[in-house]
Amino acid sequence: MKKVNAYGAKASDADLEAMNIDRRDILPNDVKIEIDYCGVCHSDIHQVRNDWGNSKYPVVPGHEIIGHVVEVGDEVKNFKKGDLVGVGCMVDSCQECDACKEDLEQYCENGMVATYNGQDKHLGGHTFGGYSEMVVVREKFVLKVPENLDTAAVAPLLCAGITTWSPLRQWNVKKGDKVGVVGLGGLGHMGIKFAHALGAHTVMITTSPSKAEDAKRLGADEVLISKDEDQMKKHQGSFDFILNTVPVGHDTNPYIALLKRDATMTLVGAIDEVDVHGGGLVMGRKRLAGSLIGGIKETQEMLDFCGEHDIVSDIEMIDMQNINEAYERVVNSDVKYRFVIDMKSIKN
Ligand code: NAP
Ligand code: ZN
């Protein structure tokens, strides 16, 4: 066991602060990773502030981890010292249930182990995430990172990337489809890039008119301001698919009205109550769905796609010490479009 520097919160109303955490000694299947960068996801904030009511303290967040391998266990086959690697939202799962056998570890029937706030099978207590110097992870949950991309800007792909990629693939978004992405934050900006790269006619649906220009630069063909009722009316019944990244409970009805007959809107953000009027779904056989991150195999496919198509996140790099200000900006929808922590700063 080794003590390493980390940043975490000791209570739901506390700021994040420097602390020490334990990391296990490597097991035969483990990879030890020195962390170079870690993205800041809105889920980190939800967990720190106990928005979902299941946080365990201290919370050391971070599930968009990029680093390099410093040591591997005796049975590790796919990684060696020096490799550039990533770790996303999961660090383990049972590997035996139907979900795991179908490469859908995120839906493991025995419960996947989340990168932070999961149950730590090795040290007891709960897992600690990537706001730290180093992490030890089972090989199966370590991703290969394409070497041709800006390393820091790859970090958000491990959560924001896969969480938007997976539903776009699952609902078969293709060339010519009209696809909406609701919310231009960390997830939304990746949703726009991917929908565009898959050939869809991509529409950014935002509450923030000030983000319109950026949305187009990121790949949106059109921008729809959701607070403008006339604009919303014009687009009614015209979307083949909508990816909704709104981070809180909200009225989904105006967005459902945008769908064509038989089309689907998938929620990835709101993990609480949303308002849905049955009539909005019934009159048009529409579907409201949900999606959780993506499996390890699919995450690797997404990273490889990004390597081939030169896709990364648009990031603002921060030092670890500025994390509390960054959280305030995310909560105020003022992030362009993902904060990434330069983990060198944690050693200062
Ligand atoms: P983010 O960077 O804060 O972006 C969310 C965006 O949603 C905001 O920038 C804003 O965009 C829009 N928005 C905020 N409040 C809104 C409201 N009340 N009504 C309408 N739009 C609103 O957050 P993120 O990191 O992308 O994460 C989004 C959500 O996904 C979070 O709840 C996070 O926990 C969740 N998440 C889920 C998964 C999963 O597997 N399902 C994975 C990762 C994250 P505009 O200014 O453009 O309106
Ligand atoms: Zn996340």
Side-chain angles (χ1 to χ4, degrees), residues 137-157:
V137 180
R138 182 176 177 178
E139 174 184 20
K140 169 86 196 176
F141 289 79
V142 179
L143 286 310
K144 286 184 194 293
V145 172
E147 301 268 351
N148 59 316
L149 301 173
D150 171 1
T151 313
V154 172
L157 300 178

Side-chain angles (χ1 to χ4, degrees), residues 171-190:
W171 278 274
N172 194 27
V173 163
K174 55 190 183 309
K175 199 170 164 47
D177 284 353
K178 181 171 173 181
V179 170
V181 177
V182 187
L184 184 42
L187 267 54
H189 94 290
M190 290 313 306

Side-chain angles (χ1 to χ4, degrees), residues 97-137:
C97 71
D98 288 350
C100 285
K101 283 187 196 148
E102 286 176 47
D103 295 309
L104 296 168
E105 302 89 349
Q106 73 273 36
Y107 304 116
C108 174
E109 290 160 24
N110 296 301
M112 56 94 159
V113 179
T115 303
Y116 62 88
N117 246 322
Q119 200 183 352
D120 191 326
K121 288 197 269 194
H122 305 283
L123 297 181
H126 59 278
T127 52
F128 297 120
Y131 295 9
S132 63
E133 291 175 277
M134 191 265 278
V135 65
V136 177
V137 180

